[in-house]
Amino acid sequence: MIRVELLRRDNPSRALRLLSPLIGLSLALITGAIMFSLMGKNPAAALYVYFIEPLTEAWSVHELLIKAAPLILMGAGLSICYLSNNWNIGAEGQFIMGALAGSIFPVLFTDFQNPMVLPLMFIFAVAGGALWAGIPALLKARFNTNEILVSLMLVYVAERILDYLVRGPWRNPGGMNFPESVRFHSYARVPEIMPWDGRANLGIVIAILVAIALWFMLSRTLKGFEVKVIGASPRAGRFAGFSSKGMIFFSFLVAGGCAGLAGIIEVAGASAQLRPIISPGYGFTAIIVAFLGRLNPLGAIAAGLILALTYLGGEAAQISLQISDKASRVFQGTLLLYILACDTLIHYRIRFSRKPAAKGIEQAAASSEQQPPAAERAV
Amino acid sequence: MELTLAILLTIITAATPLLLAATGELVVERSGVLNLGVEGMMIMGAVGGFVMAYLTGNPLLGIAFAVLLGMAMALLFGFLVLTFATNQYATGLALTILGLGLAALIGEGFVGRAGIRPPNLYIPGISDIPFIGPLLFGRDVLFYISITLVAGVMWFLFRTRQGLTLRAIGDNHHSAHALGIKVIRYRYLAVLFGGACAGLAGAHLSLVYTPQWSENMTAGRGWIALALVVFASWRPLRVLAGAYLFGAVSIGQLHAQAIGIAIPSQALSALPYVATIIVLVIISQNRRLTMINTPASLGKSFVPDR
């Protein structure tokens, strides 16, 4: 039997720190190719349709940028949370609440049409997302409540609020009873960058600027230092006089604000109205973006583009190769698992050792003896 | 009487998957491992159980396959978290994302097909006792497994040497390792047990609760099971109580919807999630209780030095 052993490196490997996302990505691509051939498709053709073809035409590059914007925004925001050891996994809910808060103007005040509308929508969206993220932050800081579970539960609650609004009070009165809001007027739309070329809007520019700002905060300011110290060692943070409660609020509000902004960019950009479902799981994919970007907001830009490609490629492969669009979700999941495994290589060397056969048998016997009785019953 | 019986029966049905998954996760967390992938293992159990039962016509084979898939997912998690010492939070999330995607892919051709429900137990005479008979002696096999599991886990954790060892590992893996205990091996077994239980919970959803397959049919139940473990402060009997309480809340909101109470249906269907948050807050307010029972090594990686 071959054993895997981890040996701690004296110094974390610099080369692997850069390479680990790339290794993870390559392994995920190989796994994807195997998955496609198991599904009876030509893996080379499938990978081409997934990852190359969308980049060859102008319109689909525009679509890529539309999908990348919310992923970059949320991935960069979540990086701050995860770096400071705050496990916000409810970006999807914060995205929805931001979209709802920002949509108040075009949906309820349809006569209010001037250039002030869009900035107000952005402000409300940031506030909406931040407030929704503030709930788990407050509960964690005040009562020590588990933020993972609270932030996730609030996703389900937000989904139901959205559903209620678009089927009830916010439904378009002239919309043939479809569950959707009125279409946003032109002042309430995120302007397109090059309308003659494709649909991409200013959202991607905003996302990149926010990511750069967050990177600057992290790497060049005291606040960023505080994020990293508290994340690495809350004890050291306390000695330095940093408040870990303050950090809970800071990281959740930043991530929530980013998610809210992403929400309004999505609905005021490409879709131009509210529907019962406004996100194909962007909030959860953003978790992968954060980790693929190695919790660096600049890395989140590249990672956001790559994961946007999996959405777009998934759609393309469904049309041209009849590959289920669910395959891209499997790809996203395996990608995250590979990245996490590769991150281990930064701090550890792997040693494979072969154990003598006799000892192996002895151990197998011992392990079957030690098996919990409850486990046997379950099987 | 009739209505009370009907309501109690549905509460039991709603509580059983939560109880199964939470009992498994309780053992995992007692060993010091936090597996946030319950939802992913559960949905794999749901799709595996449904597909196998549909293809073979045998619901028991379906349940067995669900257990197998749950354990396969748990093994993947264990390999990364225990052998590769990856971050437990992120790996659990990845497992959930992967499970939801994989299950959707596998189950795509089976949406809307009628599932095969395992037969209810029937003991002539006893199952005919009014009220108690159908309530306790005429249920599906998974109900009995869930109750047996709780009793078994209680006995194992608090009445056996291995149970004590498992709890010791959860409280301090360094000391346990220094005493010569095989920390990683115990944790593998605990994680696999958790996967098997989550698989059973999934099978219950797609074979007993609503005998059909639909995407995302777990609807956050894996996460509620995780919350239940915290709510129960890592005690099996409290998991039992909590699961039935949550079953009652989710059935209560369904009945309220059916009666047509003048509250939006969305508010009612959000109730189990809001209730989870409220319960978590109430429990976490009592710091002493949480401090005593939380496995001290929970969520921390352990790399044995040799």
Side-chain angles (χ1 to χ4, degrees):
Chain A
M1 193 180 146
I2 296 175
R3 284 181 71 105
V4 184
E5 266 182 65
L6 298 183
L7 302 169
R8 187 167 265 285
R9 291 177 196 275
D10 296 334
N11 293 308
S13 161
R14 225 165 234 283
L16 277 169
R17 184 162 285 181
L18 289 171
L19 283 176
S20 87
L22 294 179
I23 300 173
L25 196 57
S26 325
L27 289 172
L29 285 174
I30 294 170
T31 311
I34 295 171
M35 180 174 78
F36 291 135
S37 37
L38 285 178
M39 292 162 77
K41 312 284 175 187
N42 178 353
L47 287 181
Y48 178 79
V49 171
Y50 250 86
F51 297 102
I52 311 288
E53 205 173 55
L55 301 173
T56 55
E57 281 177 81
W59 69 267
S60 65
V61 172
H62 279 263
E63 296 300 313
L64 180 75
L65 297 178
I66 288 175
K67 288 183 161 56
L71 290 174
I72 293 170
L73 268 172
M74 286 193 278
L78 288 178
S79 301
I80 312 286
C81 274
Y82 299 155
L83 273 177
S84 65
N85 228 342
N86 284 301
W87 291 89
N88 173 10
I89 61 172
E92 182 87 355
Q94 293 143 25
F95 177 95
I96 291 172
M97 294 312 279
L100 287 179
S103 301
I104 288 174
F105 294 98
V107 173
L108 294 184
F109 304 97
T110 41
D111 295 335
F112 174 49
Q113 298 195 8
N114 67 37
M116 276 307 292
V117 174
L118 196 60
L120 275 173
M121 285 165 69
F122 279 3
I123 293 168
F124 268 63
V126 170
L131 278 178
W132 203 244
I135 300 173
L138 178 71
L139 296 180
K140 183 183 181 185
R142 179 78 180 74
F143 303 116
N144 202 21
T145 309
N146 184 314
E147 79 276 25
I148 306 175
L149 294 168
V150 174
S151 61
L152 187 95
M153 290 297 140
L154 287 173
V155 174
Y156 294 101
V157 178
E159 283 175 352
R160 277 155 185 81
I161 295 175
L162 168 67
D163 193 79
Y164 166 69
L165 286 176
V166 292
R167 289 177 201 280
W170 285 18
R171 188 166 62 190
N172 182 2
M176 316 277 287
N177 254 347
F178 277 115
E180 49 191 36
S181 74
V182 293
R183 283 189 76 79
F184 293 4
H185 55 79
S186 57
Y187 285 112
R189 298 289 307 276
V190 182
E192 290 174 356
I193 307 171
M194 294 183 286
W196 59 91
D197 195 45
R199 295 202 305 157
N201 56 47
L202 275 180
I204 184 71
V205 180
I206 296 170
I208 291 174
L209 289 178
V210 169
I212 293 173
L214 287 178
W215 167 81
F216 182 82
M217 185 273 293
L218 266 183
S219 58
R220 298 284 184 275
T221 69
L222 182 62
K223 195 75 192 168
F225 182 65
E226 193 181 325
V227 170
K228 286 182 267 188
V229 170
I230 289 180
S233 162
R235 230 169 100 81
R238 264 202 305 282
F239 285 130
F242 297 149
S243 152
S244 55
K245 283 194 178 168
M247 183 49 64
I248 296 173
F249 282 105
F250 177 75
S251 63
F252 266 89
L253 295 185
V254 167
C258 288
L261 188 57
I264 199 64
I265 284 173
E266 176 70 16
V267 293
S271 47
Q273 66 186 152
L274 288 170
R275 297 196 191 96
I277 291 169
I278 54 174
S279 156
Y282 285 147
F284 296 109
T285 310
I287 298 171
I288 309 175
V289 171
F291 279 98
L292 181 60
R294 296 208 45 75
L295 304 185
N296 178 335
L298 290 187
I301 298 177
L305 287 166
I306 291 170
L307 278 146
L309 196 55
T310 64
Y311 276 107
L312 202 58
E315 288 169 12
Q318 188 173 29
I319 295 164
S320 64
L321 296 174
Q322 285 80 48
I323 293 175
S324 164
D325 60 337
K326 273 88 188 178
S328 42
R329 284 164 61 189
V330 177
F331 179 82
Q332 292 174 354
T334 44
L335 176 61
L336 181 52
L337 286 172
Y338 279 125
I339 297 163
L340 294 169
C342 288
D343 278 0
T344 297
L345 298 177
I346 298 172
H347 297 283
Y348 295 97
R349 278 188 297 126
I350 307 267
R351 190 171 70 184
F352 298 97
S353 55
R354 190 180 289 276
K355 302 194 85 184
K359 206 179 167 196
I361 291 164
E362 196 184 292
Q363 283 208 330
S367 74
S368 65
E369 214 168 76
Q370 284 176 347
Q371 195 157 11
E376 282 170 12
R377 194 168 295 135
V379 179
Chain B
M1 197 69 168
E2 282 284 305
L3 185 67
T4 323
L5 178 65
I7 291 179
L8 285 178
L9 285 176
T10 44
I11 288 177
I12 289 180
T13 313
T16 303
L18 297 176
L19 181 57
L20 284 165
T23 306
E25 178 67 14
L26 181 136
V27 174
V28 179
E29 293 192 15
R30 277 283 186 175
S31 82
V33 178
L34 181 67
N35 186 350
L36 293 181
V38 181
E39 181 91 1
M41 301 189 295
M42 202 193 232
I43 193 107
M44 286 299 282
V47 75
F50 181 88
V51 169
M52 187 51 104
Y54 183 85
L55 294 179
T56 62
N58 184 344
L60 294 179
L61 272 181
I63 293 172
F65 191 58
V67 169
L68 209 66
L69 281 190
M71 288 177 80
M73 294 293 281
L75 186 65
L76 178 63
F77 175 81
F79 181 68
L80 284 162
V81 156
L82 301 174
T83 302
F84 259 65
T86 57
N87 180 311
Q88 296 186 6
Y89 297 86
T91 311
L93 285 174
L95 198 72
T96 290
I97 294 172
L98 177 67
L100 289 170
L102 211 52
L105 188 64
I106 296 171
E108 209 172 21
F110 296 89
V111 177
R113 309 268 175 96
I116 297 159
R117 206 174 178 284
N120 280 351
L121 185 77
Y122 181 76
I123 313 167
I126 298 176
S127 299
D128 295 327
I129 302 171
F131 203 74
I132 298 175
L135 192 63
L136 296 179
F137 300 105
R139 315 294 306 139
D140 54 280
V141 57
L142 287 167
F143 166 71
Y144 299 106
I145 294 180
S146 72
I147 301 295
T148 320
L149 271 178
V150 174
V153 164
M154 276 173 67
W155 172 77
F156 170 73
L157 281 179
F158 302 106
R159 289 283 177 276
T160 68
R161 194 184 176 82
Q162 284 80 13
L164 181 65
T165 309
L166 186 90
R167 287 186 288 136
I169 292 171
D171 277 330
N172 190 331
H173 45 217
H174 294 296
S175 303
H177 177 66
L179 286 170
I181 294 168
K182 306 276 185 196
V183 173
I184 299 293
R185 178 177 306 158
Y186 264 88
R187 286 190 167 164
Y188 258 111
L189 292 174
V191 165
L192 283 176
F193 175 68
C197 289
L200 281 174
H204 184 278
L205 285 178
S206 65
L207 294 174
V208 177
Y209 195 20
T210 46
Q212 59 175 9
W213 164 252
S214 60
E215 215 184 300
N216 297 333
M217 74 181 300
T218 45
R221 284 190 184 82
W223 294 100
I224 292 182
L226 277 157
L228 271 177
V229 179
V230 181
F231 164 78
S233 50
W234 294 271
R235 317 281 297 192
L237 262 190
R238 291 186 197 158
V239 165
L240 183 80
Y244 282 95
L245 191 71
F246 273 86
V249 169
S250 52
I251 293 305
Q253 63 92 1
L254 279 182
H255 280 283
Q257 281 190 37
I259 298 168
I261 288 181
I263 300 173
S265 66
Q266 292 91 345
L268 290 169
S269 68
L271 207 60
Y273 308 110
V274 177
T276 307
I277 297 175
I278 293 172
V279 163
L280 282 174
V281 172
I282 294 172
I283 288 297
S284 55
Q285 256 183 315
N286 189 343
R287 277 191 199 218
R288 215 162 54 89
L289 181 82
T290 338
M291 289 287 269
I292 294 171
N293 287 307
T294 314
S297 298
L298 188 62
K300 292 178 185 140
S301 294
F302 176 67
V303 180
D305 47 341
R306 286 173 231 275

